Amino acid sequence: MNWQNYMLIASHFGMALQAVLFLPYYRIKPWHLVVVGIWTVHNDIIDYVYGMHPWVSPVLMPYIDTIGYFTFWLGLAAIAVVYFFNVRHHRYRLSLPR
């Protein structure tokens, strides 16, 4: 892997961290998660079942099925985190000025 691959990993990690830090400020309803869940699963099916995934280094191509499997579960885990910290009734609540 070269420096661009590591930069891509670091930038995606930063975006995920940013989403978690801003999570208390979001106002998400359960139907939002349903739509996002359908979209995420649909996207993963198109990417990894039909082979329309983004470019992957030839070194990683033998592992594309594993990458697809990990991507699928990572998407569902992200939705679960949003549900747990933002949607459920006993979530952390942040008072925002109106």
Side-chain angles (χ1 to χ4, degrees):
M1 292 191 9
N2 58 28
W3 69 270
Q4 289 122 339
N5 298 114
Y6 291 110
M7 186 273 308
L8 191 60
I9 291 168
S11 65
H12 277 83
F13 176 78
M15 288 186 285
L17 181 62
Q18 180 182 14
V20 170
L21 290 174
F22 281 100
L23 199 54
Y25 295 99
Y26 300 147
R27 297 296 177 249
I28 300 172
K29 296 182 169 92
W31 72 268
H32 294 142
L33 285 184
V34 171
V35 171
V36 168
I38 292 169
W39 182 271
T40 301
V41 170
H42 174 264
N43 188 53
D44 289 342
I45 289 170
I46 296 298
D47 281 353
Y48 296 102
V49 173
Y50 292 104
M52 300 296 293
H53 55 81
W55 181 86
V56 175
S57 171
V59 174
L60 296 176
M61 278 307 290
Y63 308 104
I64 198 67
D65 292 337
T66 304
I67 292 168
Y69 184 76
F70 177 76
T71 301
F72 170 78
W73 284 110
L74 184 62
L76 293 184
I79 293 169
V81 166
V82 171
Y83 173 79
F84 183 78
F85 287 107
N86 195 285
V87 176
R88 71 186 176 107
H89 292 293
H90 300 294
R91 66 182 168 88
Y92 172 72
R93 295 189 188 268
L94 182 66
S95 297
L96 297 175
R98 291 190 181 243

XYZ file of all heavy atoms in Angstrom:
834
model
N 0.851 -1.179 0.000
C 0.000 0.000 0.000
C 0.891 1.234 0.000
O 1.960 1.236 0.588
C -0.928 -0.011 1.207
C -1.962 -1.121 1.134
S -3.338 -1.154 2.300
C -3.335 0.311 3.181
N 0.408 2.271 -0.637
C 1.205 3.492 -0.714
C 0.600 4.577 0.184
O -0.395 4.353 0.870
C 1.325 3.977 -2.161
C -0.017 4.229 -2.807
O -0.995 4.542 -2.124
N -0.085 4.093 -4.116
N 1.192 5.755 0.160
C 0.783 6.829 1.068
C -0.655 7.261 0.816
O -1.343 7.679 1.757
C 1.748 8.006 0.972
C 1.693 8.758 -0.338
C 2.428 8.508 -1.455
C 0.846 9.856 -0.652
N 2.097 9.381 -2.455
C 1.116 10.226 -1.988
C -0.119 10.578 0.059
C 0.458 11.264 -2.617
C -0.762 11.615 -0.586
C -0.478 11.954 -1.901
N -1.126 7.171 -0.438
C -2.513 7.579 -0.720
C -3.516 6.660 -0.026
O -4.556 7.116 0.452
C -2.781 7.600 -2.223
C -2.074 8.737 -2.907
C -1.147 8.253 -4.000
O -0.736 7.107 -4.006
N -0.818 9.138 -4.914
N -3.193 5.367 0.046
C -4.074 4.435 0.736
C -4.171 4.768 2.219
O -5.261 4.756 2.804
C -3.591 3.000 0.549
C -3.592 2.564 -0.888
O -2.539 2.313 -1.461
N -4.751 2.493 -1.507
N -3.028 5.069 2.817
C -3.036 5.423 4.238
C -3.734 6.765 4.476
O -4.417 6.945 5.483
C -1.615 5.435 4.799
C -1.021 4.053 4.866
C 0.013 3.672 4.018
C -1.503 3.115 5.763
C 0.545 2.395 4.064
C -0.979 1.838 5.829
C 0.038 1.487 4.976
O 0.549 0.231 5.026
N -3.570 7.698 3.551
C -4.269 8.982 3.661
C -5.772 8.773 3.573
O -6.543 9.384 4.321
C -3.787 9.929 2.550
C -4.340 11.349 2.632
S -5.936 11.648 1.827
C -5.698 11.014 0.218
N -6.201 7.885 2.686
C -7.623 7.599 2.543
C -8.187 6.972 3.818
O -9.277 7.321 4.270
C -7.836 6.675 1.342
C -9.256 6.466 0.874
C -9.890 7.788 0.457
C -9.275 5.488 -0.292
N -7.437 6.049 4.400
C -7.855 5.427 5.660
C -7.966 6.489 6.758
O -8.963 6.543 7.497
C -6.875 4.314 6.066
C -6.987 3.131 5.098
C -7.127 3.856 7.498
C -5.873 2.118 5.240
N -6.962 7.336 6.878
C -6.957 8.374 7.924
C -8.094 9.366 7.722
O -8.752 9.766 8.694
C -5.617 9.101 7.951
N -8.361 9.769 6.481
C -9.431 10.743 6.247
C -10.805 10.137 6.537
O -11.674 10.811 7.094
C -9.367 11.288 4.823
O -9.628 10.277 3.873
N -11.006 8.875 6.195
C -12.278 8.230 6.520
C -12.436 8.058 8.028
O -13.526 8.223 8.569
C -12.403 6.882 5.806
C -12.878 7.013 4.407
N -12.027 7.316 3.370
C -14.121 6.905 3.870
C -12.724 7.373 2.255
N -13.999 7.147 2.529
N -11.346 7.736 8.711
C -11.404 7.655 10.169
C -11.772 9.011 10.766
O -12.588 9.095 11.686
C -10.064 7.170 10.735
C -10.036 7.157 12.234
C -10.660 6.139 12.937
C -9.406 8.167 12.940
C -10.657 6.132 14.324
C -9.393 8.175 14.323
C -10.023 7.148 15.012
N -11.193 10.076 10.242
C -11.510 11.427 10.721
C -12.969 11.785 10.502
O -13.605 12.386 11.371
N -13.513 11.412 9.349
C -14.931 11.688 9.084
C -15.829 10.910 10.043
O -16.842 11.437 10.530
C -15.282 11.360 7.630
C -14.702 12.344 6.643
S -15.243 12.058 4.960
C -14.288 10.622 4.510
N -15.481 9.652 10.322
C -16.264 8.852 11.264
C -16.194 9.449 12.665
O -17.210 9.534 13.371
C -15.764 7.410 11.259
N -15.018 9.882 13.076
C -14.857 10.524 14.382
C -15.670 11.809 14.466
O -16.330 12.077 15.477
C -13.378 10.800 14.648
C -13.044 11.453 15.982
C -13.464 10.553 17.137
C -11.552 11.753 16.044
N -15.665 12.588 13.409
C -16.446 13.821 13.365
C -17.935 13.521 13.517
O -18.653 14.214 14.245
C -16.190 14.547 12.054
C -16.943 15.845 11.908
C -16.676 16.503 10.557
O -16.140 15.879 9.630
N -17.056 17.752 10.430
N -18.416 12.489 12.855
C -19.832 12.118 12.967
C -20.190 11.743 14.398
O -21.244 12.133 14.908
C -20.142 10.962 12.020
N -19.313 11.008 15.071
C -19.579 10.612 16.461
C -19.569 11.834 17.369
O -20.408 11.965 18.273
C -18.563 9.548 16.929
C -18.670 9.300 18.417
C -18.770 8.250 16.160
N -18.644 12.764 17.146
C -18.572 13.957 17.992
C -19.816 14.840 17.841
O -20.254 15.473 18.798
C -17.317 14.762 17.663
C -15.998 14.121 18.073
C -14.824 14.950 17.573
C -15.919 13.944 19.580
N -20.386 14.887 16.650
C -21.564 15.717 16.417
C -22.880 14.978 16.672
O -23.952 15.574 16.563
C -21.559 16.270 14.986
C -20.644 17.436 14.812
C -19.387 17.274 14.256
C -21.027 18.706 15.209
C -18.530 18.349 14.095
C -20.188 19.796 15.060
C -18.930 19.611 14.500
N -22.812 13.711 17.010
C -24.013 12.898 17.180
C -25.056 13.502 18.129
O -26.251 13.478 17.822
C -23.622 11.493 17.636
C -24.635 10.389 17.456
C -25.113 10.315 16.016
C -24.031 9.063 17.871
N -24.658 14.084 19.263
C -25.686 14.658 20.149
C -26.447 15.837 19.537
O -27.528 16.172 19.987
C -24.892 15.124 21.367
C -23.624 14.369 21.336
C -23.344 14.103 19.887
N -25.915 16.455 18.514
C -26.565 17.613 17.908
C -27.572 17.229 16.819
O -28.347 18.061 16.383
C -25.521 18.557 17.297
C -24.611 19.166 18.321
C -23.355 18.647 18.547
C -25.023 20.263 19.078
C -22.511 19.202 19.493
C -24.194 20.828 20.018
C -22.936 20.295 20.231
O -22.112 20.847 21.169
N -27.524 16.002 16.365
C -28.424 15.564 15.293
C -29.816 15.299 15.841
O -29.985 14.865 16.977
C -27.910 14.293 14.624
C -26.556 14.392 13.993
C -25.703 13.297 13.982
C -26.110 15.556 13.395
C -24.459 13.363 13.403
C -24.860 15.629 12.809
C -24.045 14.528 12.819
O -22.805 14.592 12.244
N -30.814 15.556 15.037
C -32.198 15.232 15.377
C -32.675 14.196 14.362
O -33.154 14.530 13.286
C -33.080 16.473 15.343
C -32.686 17.518 16.357
C -32.889 16.957 17.780
N -32.447 17.913 18.790
C -31.389 17.721 19.550
N -30.653 16.650 19.423
N -31.055 18.606 20.461
N -32.502 12.929 14.714
C -32.787 11.833 13.796
C -34.019 11.088 14.283
O -34.140 10.770 15.463
C -31.576 10.888 13.697
C -30.367 11.664 13.181
C -31.882 9.698 12.808
C -29.072 10.903 13.221
N -34.919 10.809 13.348
C -36.137 10.051 13.646
C -35.949 8.603 13.192
O -35.112 8.319 12.329
C -37.312 10.691 12.926
C -37.594 12.103 13.413
C -38.797 12.666 12.704
C -39.220 13.945 13.371
N -38.666 15.140 12.857
N -36.721 7.677 13.763
C -36.578 6.266 13.365
C -36.735 6.035 11.862
O -36.020 5.218 11.282
C -37.675 5.552 14.157
C -37.858 6.395 15.372
C -37.649 7.816 14.898
N -37.640 6.759 11.206
C -37.819 6.528 9.773
C -36.589 6.950 8.978
O -36.325 6.406 7.901
C -39.086 7.199 9.252
C -39.052 8.692 9.156
C -39.453 9.592 10.105
C -38.600 9.461 8.041
N -39.263 10.870 9.656
C -38.751 10.827 8.382
C -38.079 9.160 6.788
C -38.397 11.853 7.519
C -37.726 10.191 5.942
C -37.899 11.518 6.307
N -35.810 7.908 9.513
C -34.553 8.278 8.859
C -33.608 7.073 8.803
O -32.956 6.825 7.777
C -33.851 9.413 9.599
C -34.588 10.706 9.580
N -34.615 11.541 10.671
C -35.323 11.317 8.622
C -35.330 12.621 10.382
N -35.771 12.493 9.135
N -33.539 6.332 9.921
C -32.658 5.164 9.960
C -33.130 4.069 9.021
O -32.315 3.351 8.443
C -32.548 4.620 11.377
C -31.675 5.417 12.327
C -31.575 4.715 13.665
C -30.306 5.654 11.760
N -34.442 3.924 8.867
C -34.971 2.924 7.931
C -34.528 3.266 6.512
O -34.033 2.398 5.771
C -36.510 2.826 8.029
C -37.080 1.969 6.921
C -36.926 2.294 9.390
N -34.685 4.520 6.123
C -34.283 4.951 4.774
C -32.777 4.753 4.580
O -32.334 4.212 3.555
C -34.690 6.420 4.513
C -34.091 6.939 3.225
C -36.199 6.555 4.508
N -31.989 5.172 5.560
C -30.539 5.022 5.460
C -30.150 3.543 5.420
O -29.239 3.153 4.683
C -29.837 5.757 6.619
C -28.369 5.386 6.705
C -29.997 7.249 6.454
N -30.821 2.721 6.204
C -30.536 1.286 6.194
C -30.796 0.662 4.840
O -29.979 -0.114 4.329
N -31.928 0.992 4.235
C -32.255 0.474 2.905
C -31.216 0.961 1.895
O -30.723 0.181 1.071
C -33.680 0.881 2.493
C -34.694 0.159 3.370
C -33.931 0.605 1.013
C -36.113 0.678 3.237
N -30.896 2.240 1.953
C -29.913 2.814 1.018
C -28.542 2.146 1.176
O -27.882 1.798 0.189
C -29.793 4.316 1.250
C -28.856 4.976 0.300
C -27.506 5.155 0.460
C -29.175 5.516 -0.973
N -26.974 5.790 -0.626
C -27.987 6.021 -1.529
C -30.353 5.641 -1.688
C -27.944 6.624 -2.764
C -30.302 6.248 -2.925
C -29.117 6.727 -3.448
N -28.113 1.960 2.415
C -26.798 1.376 2.679
C -26.713 -0.064 2.188
O -25.744 -0.451 1.519
C -26.482 1.451 4.187
O -26.503 2.817 4.591
C -25.136 0.847 4.513
N -27.725 -0.862 2.514
C -27.720 -2.258 2.068
C -27.798 -2.323 0.546
O -27.089 -3.114 -0.090
C -28.858 -3.046 2.745
C -29.016 -4.416 2.120
C -28.601 -3.165 4.242
N -28.649 -1.491 -0.052
C -28.752 -1.452 -1.514
C -27.403 -1.096 -2.139
O -26.952 -1.740 -3.099
C -29.824 -0.439 -1.923
C -29.902 -0.214 -3.394
N -29.269 0.820 -4.018
C -30.531 -0.915 -4.366
C -29.502 0.757 -5.321
N -30.265 -0.281 -5.554
N -26.745 -0.085 -1.599
C -25.449 0.333 -2.119
C -24.415 -0.787 -2.010
O -23.642 -1.030 -2.948
C -24.968 1.574 -1.375
C -23.723 2.163 -1.988
O -23.693 2.422 -3.182
N -22.701 2.341 -1.171
N -24.384 -1.483 -0.869
C -23.426 -2.575 -0.698
C -23.711 -3.728 -1.653
O -22.780 -4.357 -2.172
C -23.432 -3.063 0.748
C -22.804 -2.062 1.701
O -22.070 -1.164 1.226
O -23.054 -2.164 2.911
N -24.974 -4.013 -1.908
C -25.323 -5.068 -2.866
C -24.848 -4.689 -4.265
O -24.223 -5.494 -4.962
C -26.839 -5.356 -2.847
C -27.213 -6.056 -1.539
C -27.255 -6.197 -4.046
C -28.710 -6.170 -1.305
N -25.142 -3.459 -4.671
C -24.703 -3.005 -5.999
C -23.177 -3.039 -6.093
O -22.610 -3.514 -7.085
C -25.236 -1.586 -6.303
C -26.761 -1.575 -6.374
C -24.624 -1.037 -7.589
C -27.351 -2.443 -7.459
N -22.494 -2.558 -5.054
C -21.035 -2.489 -5.082
C -20.381 -3.859 -5.113
O -19.487 -4.106 -5.934
C -20.511 -1.714 -3.872
C -20.632 -0.215 -4.026
O -21.009 0.239 -5.123
O -20.348 0.494 -3.045
N -20.788 -4.759 -4.219
C -20.021 -5.986 -4.023
C -20.668 -7.240 -4.593
O -19.964 -8.215 -4.838
C -19.688 -6.151 -2.537
C -18.795 -5.031 -2.082
C -19.304 -3.964 -1.347
C -17.456 -5.002 -2.433
C -18.487 -2.911 -0.961
C -16.635 -3.953 -2.058
C -17.159 -2.918 -1.326
O -16.350 -1.878 -0.962
N -21.969 -7.258 -4.820
C -22.582 -8.410 -5.476
C -22.490 -8.258 -6.985
O -22.166 -9.204 -7.705
C -24.055 -8.594 -5.019
C -24.734 -9.684 -5.821
C -24.102 -8.905 -3.522
N -22.751 -7.050 -7.474
C -22.709 -6.792 -8.914
C -21.363 -6.240 -9.392
O -21.203 -5.923 -10.560
C -23.842 -5.836 -9.316
C -25.197 -6.479 -9.172
C -26.019 -6.149 -8.109
C -25.630 -7.423 -10.088
C -27.261 -6.746 -7.964
C -26.867 -8.023 -9.953
C -27.679 -7.682 -8.888
O -28.901 -8.276 -8.740
N -20.401 -6.112 -8.482
C -19.046 -5.735 -8.872
C -18.861 -4.284 -9.279
O -17.949 -3.967 -10.042
N -19.694 -3.387 -8.769
C -19.583 -1.975 -9.128
C -18.827 -1.173 -8.065
O -18.929 0.038 -8.015
C -20.977 -1.368 -9.316
C -21.793 -2.025 -10.410
S -21.089 -1.841 -12.024
C -21.272 -0.103 -12.261
N -18.076 -1.865 -7.225
C -17.352 -1.208 -6.130
C -16.313 -0.238 -6.674
O -15.879 -0.338 -7.825
C -16.673 -2.247 -5.243
C -15.772 -3.184 -5.993
N -14.494 -2.855 -6.344
C -15.998 -4.429 -6.466
C -13.945 -3.856 -6.989
N -14.849 -4.830 -7.087
N -15.912 0.721 -5.826
C -14.864 1.661 -6.238
C -13.560 0.915 -6.541
O -13.391 -0.241 -6.158
C -14.684 2.570 -5.022
C -15.871 2.345 -4.169
C -16.402 0.996 -4.491
N -12.655 1.608 -7.180
C -11.375 1.005 -7.518
C -10.675 0.503 -6.274
O -10.654 1.168 -5.243
C -10.488 2.031 -8.221
C -9.162 1.458 -8.613
C -8.876 0.783 -9.758
C -7.962 1.504 -7.851
N -7.568 0.403 -9.766
C -6.974 0.834 -8.593
C -7.611 2.032 -6.618
C -5.670 0.673 -8.157
C -6.315 1.874 -6.185
C -5.360 1.209 -6.946
N -10.141 -0.700 -6.374
C -9.386 -1.315 -5.292
C -8.038 -1.734 -5.863
O -7.967 -2.230 -6.997
C -10.142 -2.541 -4.719
C -9.329 -3.263 -3.682
C -11.477 -2.125 -4.143
N -7.001 -1.538 -5.101
C -5.669 -1.926 -5.537
C -5.649 -3.395 -5.966
O -6.282 -4.235 -5.324
C -4.677 -1.712 -4.392
O -3.420 -2.258 -4.708
N -4.946 -3.710 -7.037
C -4.861 -5.113 -7.466
C -4.347 -6.047 -6.366
O -4.695 -7.226 -6.345
C -3.877 -5.065 -8.637
C -3.961 -3.681 -9.156
C -4.242 -2.809 -7.964
N -3.565 -5.518 -5.444
C -3.078 -6.332 -4.329
C -4.234 -6.785 -3.444
O -4.207 -7.875 -2.875
C -2.046 -5.520 -3.507
C -1.611 -6.262 -2.266
C -0.850 -5.150 -4.364
N -5.268 -5.952 -3.348
C -6.405 -6.260 -2.479
C -7.539 -7.004 -3.185
O -8.464 -7.474 -2.528
C -6.954 -4.966 -1.867
C -6.007 -4.213 -0.942
C -6.635 -2.908 -0.492
C -5.626 -5.058 0.252
N -7.498 -7.110 -4.503
C -8.592 -7.741 -5.244
C -8.890 -9.179 -4.808
O -10.058 -9.567 -4.775
C -8.333 -7.687 -6.756
C -8.719 -6.369 -7.379
S -10.408 -5.828 -7.032
C -11.335 -6.996 -7.987
N -7.897 -9.990 -4.429
C -8.250 -11.340 -3.950
C -9.119 -11.327 -2.690
O -9.770 -12.317 -2.369
C -6.890 -11.991 -3.664
C -5.914 -11.229 -4.482
C -6.459 -9.820 -4.559
N -9.151 -10.205 -2.001
C -9.905 -10.100 -0.746
C -11.197 -9.300 -0.913
O -11.790 -8.890 0.080
C -9.032 -9.439 0.329
C -7.691 -10.105 0.481
C -6.552 -9.509 -0.034
C -7.579 -11.334 1.113
C -5.312 -10.119 0.090
C -6.346 -11.951 1.238
C -5.220 -11.350 0.725
O -4.010 -11.957 0.849
N -11.645 -9.097 -2.142
C -12.798 -8.222 -2.371
C -14.065 -8.759 -1.706
O -14.892 -7.985 -1.232
C -13.004 -7.942 -3.881
C -13.897 -6.723 -4.078
C -13.557 -9.158 -4.593
C -13.306 -5.439 -3.644
N -14.221 -10.078 -1.633
C -15.393 -10.633 -0.945
C -15.353 -10.319 0.544
O -16.372 -9.966 1.145
C -15.480 -12.140 -1.154
C -15.801 -12.508 -2.590
O -16.373 -11.660 -3.312
O -15.484 -13.649 -2.992
N -14.177 -10.404 1.137
C -14.014 -10.067 2.554
C -14.243 -8.579 2.778
O -14.888 -8.177 3.759
C -12.612 -10.476 3.037
O -12.424 -11.864 2.767
C -12.438 -10.206 4.509
N -13.740 -7.764 1.877
C -13.950 -6.319 1.976
C -15.439 -5.994 1.896
O -15.950 -5.186 2.669
C -13.154 -5.580 0.873
C -11.659 -5.710 1.126
C -13.555 -4.109 0.795
C -10.799 -5.267 -0.044
N -16.147 -6.633 0.972
C -17.593 -6.428 0.849
C -18.345 -6.862 2.098
O -19.257 -6.179 2.557
N -17.967 -8.005 2.651
C -18.600 -8.505 3.869
C -18.373 -7.538 5.027
O -19.307 -7.191 5.757
C -18.031 -9.887 4.201
C -18.669 -10.551 5.390
C -19.934 -11.120 5.293
C -18.011 -10.612 6.609
C -20.518 -11.736 6.393
C -18.582 -11.219 7.701
C -19.840 -11.783 7.591
O -20.421 -12.376 8.672
N -17.132 -7.067 5.188
C -16.794 -6.116 6.242
C -17.543 -4.797 6.042
O -18.065 -4.216 6.996
C -15.285 -5.880 6.266
C -14.854 -4.867 7.282
C -14.805 -5.181 8.624
C -14.509 -3.587 6.890
C -14.419 -4.241 9.568
C -14.122 -2.640 7.818
C -14.070 -2.969 9.161
N -17.629 -4.342 4.803
C -18.325 -3.091 4.496
C -19.798 -3.186 4.862
O -20.379 -2.250 5.431
C -18.161 -2.744 3.013
O -16.770 -2.628 2.725
C -18.855 -1.447 2.658
N -20.425 -4.319 4.533
C -21.834 -4.535 4.869
C -22.053 -4.421 6.380
O -22.922 -3.675 6.837
C -22.281 -5.907 4.360
C -23.626 -6.321 4.856
C -24.775 -5.795 4.290
C -23.750 -7.240 5.880
C -26.024 -6.180 4.742
C -24.994 -7.630 6.341
C -26.138 -7.094 5.774
N -21.265 -5.154 7.161
C -21.451 -5.130 8.615
C -21.035 -3.803 9.232
O -21.620 -3.369 10.231
C -20.718 -6.298 9.266
C -21.471 -7.571 9.044
C -21.103 -8.609 8.254
C -22.744 -7.918 9.599
N -22.073 -9.573 8.268
C -23.092 -9.188 9.093
C -23.629 -7.279 10.453
C -24.287 -9.819 9.430
C -24.818 -7.914 10.786
C -25.135 -9.169 10.279
N -20.065 -3.136 8.654
C -19.673 -1.814 9.144
C -20.808 -0.815 8.952
O -21.077 0.016 9.838
C -18.409 -1.339 8.438
C -17.814 -0.019 8.913
C -17.386 -0.130 10.374
C -16.627 0.354 8.044
N -21.503 -0.887 7.822
C -22.653 -0.016 7.586
C -23.759 -0.250 8.596
O -24.347 0.691 9.140
N -24.064 -1.531 8.868
C -25.104 -1.838 9.858
C -24.669 -1.434 11.268
O -25.490 -0.960 12.062
C -25.457 -3.323 9.810
C -26.145 -3.798 8.530
C -26.539 -5.264 8.659
C -27.361 -2.946 8.190
N -23.386 -1.586 11.571
C -22.887 -1.163 12.888
C -23.009 0.347 13.055
O -23.362 0.835 14.135
C -21.436 -1.613 13.064
N -22.739 1.094 11.997
C -22.872 2.552 12.063
C -24.322 2.951 12.322
O -24.592 3.858 13.122
C -22.369 3.186 10.774
N -25.257 2.278 11.683
C -26.681 2.559 11.917
C -27.051 2.212 13.351
O -27.793 2.951 14.011
C -27.545 1.805 10.895
C -27.300 2.384 9.498
C -29.024 1.868 11.266
C -27.889 1.561 8.383
N -26.525 1.108 13.868
C -26.794 0.725 15.256
C -26.248 1.756 16.236
O -26.904 2.077 17.234
C -26.203 -0.652 15.541
N -25.078 2.293 15.970
C -24.492 3.324 16.846
C -25.372 4.564 16.857
O -25.642 5.141 17.921
C -23.050 3.666 16.403
C -22.557 4.949 17.059
C -22.119 2.514 16.712
N -25.839 4.980 15.690
C -26.720 6.153 15.617
C -28.014 5.881 16.379
O -28.496 6.738 17.122
C -27.002 6.546 14.150
C -28.080 7.615 14.074
C -25.729 7.026 13.482
N -28.571 4.694 16.216
C -29.792 4.360 16.956
C -29.523 4.411 18.463
O -30.285 5.020 19.215
C -30.313 2.975 16.567
C -31.461 2.554 17.440
C -32.741 3.058 17.214
C -31.269 1.699 18.508
C -33.791 2.709 18.045
C -32.309 1.348 19.337
C -33.576 1.853 19.103
O -34.604 1.512 19.930
N -28.460 3.759 18.892
C -28.179 3.661 20.321
C -27.928 5.023 20.953
O -28.415 5.304 22.050
C -26.968 2.747 20.549
C -26.650 2.527 21.992
C -27.400 1.646 22.745
C -25.616 3.208 22.600
C -27.116 1.445 24.089
C -25.318 3.016 23.935
C -26.079 2.133 24.681
N -27.182 5.886 20.282
C -26.801 7.162 20.879
C -27.716 8.328 20.513
O -27.574 9.412 21.076
C -25.365 7.525 20.507
C -24.358 6.699 21.231
C -23.652 5.715 20.566
C -24.121 6.883 22.580
C -22.721 4.934 21.231
C -23.195 6.112 23.258
C -22.498 5.140 22.577
N -28.643 8.130 19.565
C -29.428 9.274 19.137
C -30.922 9.035 19.072
O -31.684 9.940 19.362
C -28.927 9.770 17.774
C -29.443 11.136 17.446
O -30.592 11.277 17.098
N -28.603 12.143 17.585
N -31.361 7.855 18.712
C -32.783 7.640 18.444
C -33.525 7.020 19.626
O -34.646 7.416 19.924
C -32.965 6.766 17.177
C -34.428 6.449 16.937
C -32.367 7.471 15.969
N -32.934 6.085 20.297
C -33.655 5.366 21.357
C -34.091 6.328 22.462
O -33.534 7.414 22.629
C -32.818 4.222 21.909
C -31.657 4.651 22.725
C -30.797 3.460 23.105
N -29.650 3.959 23.820
C -29.465 3.825 25.123
N -30.321 3.149 25.848
N -28.406 4.335 25.698
N -35.064 5.912 23.239
C -35.684 6.799 24.219
C -34.760 7.187 25.378
O -34.858 8.277 25.921
C -36.952 6.160 24.774
C -38.025 6.053 23.753
N -38.655 7.149 23.211
C -38.559 4.978 23.135
C -39.539 6.765 22.318
N -39.506 5.450 22.243
N -33.853 6.317 25.772
C -32.970 6.611 26.906
C -31.609 7.106 26.447
O -30.604 6.890 27.090
C -32.809 5.362 27.777
C -34.094 4.876 28.333
N -34.824 5.596 29.257
C -34.817 3.772 28.066
C -35.925 4.933 29.550
N -35.946 3.819 28.844
N -31.579 7.796 25.338
C -30.323 8.297 24.790
C -29.848 9.517 25.572
O -30.590 10.111 26.349
C -30.488 8.679 23.322
C -31.419 9.861 23.125
C -31.582 10.167 21.654
N -32.671 11.084 21.428
C -32.565 12.393 21.436
N -31.421 12.963 21.680
N -33.607 13.152 21.205
N -28.619 9.885 25.327
C -28.060 11.110 25.885
C -28.738 12.293 25.193
O -28.816 12.362 23.986
C -26.549 11.142 25.644
C -25.914 12.451 26.011
C -25.762 12.838 27.333
C -25.474 13.320 25.016
C -25.173 14.038 27.661
C -24.883 14.521 25.336
C -24.745 14.870 26.662
O -24.166 16.072 26.977
N -29.246 13.233 25.967
C -29.926 14.387 25.398
C -29.096 15.647 25.635
O -28.611 15.879 26.726
C -31.310 14.544 25.992
C -32.209 13.402 25.650
C -33.629 13.688 26.078
N -34.439 12.505 25.898
C -35.128 12.227 24.804
N -35.080 13.042 23.789
N -35.844 11.136 24.715
N -28.983 16.428 24.594
C -28.235 17.673 24.669
C -29.213 18.821 24.491
O -29.986 18.844 23.541
C -27.174 17.707 23.564
C -26.265 18.906 23.522
C -25.381 18.932 24.759
C -25.405 18.846 22.281
N -29.208 19.763 25.403
C -30.100 20.907 25.293
C -29.505 21.920 24.334
O -28.383 22.389 24.512
C -30.283 21.561 26.658
O -30.895 20.667 27.548
N -30.255 22.227 23.312
C -29.823 23.205 22.319
C -30.656 24.460 22.424
O -31.868 24.385 22.666
C -29.951 22.632 20.907
C -29.096 21.428 20.576
C -29.427 20.910 19.191
C -27.636 21.800 20.649
N -30.065 25.632 22.262
C -30.867 26.857 22.257
C -31.769 26.890 21.033
O -31.415 26.390 19.978
C -29.815 27.965 22.193
C -28.577 27.328 21.710
C -28.650 25.879 22.053
N -32.927 27.482 21.192
C -33.868 27.531 20.072
C -33.820 28.839 19.352
O -33.416 29.808 19.621
C -35.275 27.286 20.563
C -35.391 25.851 21.004
C -36.858 25.541 21.259
N -36.909 24.169 21.697
C -37.529 23.238 21.021
N -38.152 23.493 19.933
N -37.547 22.006 21.471
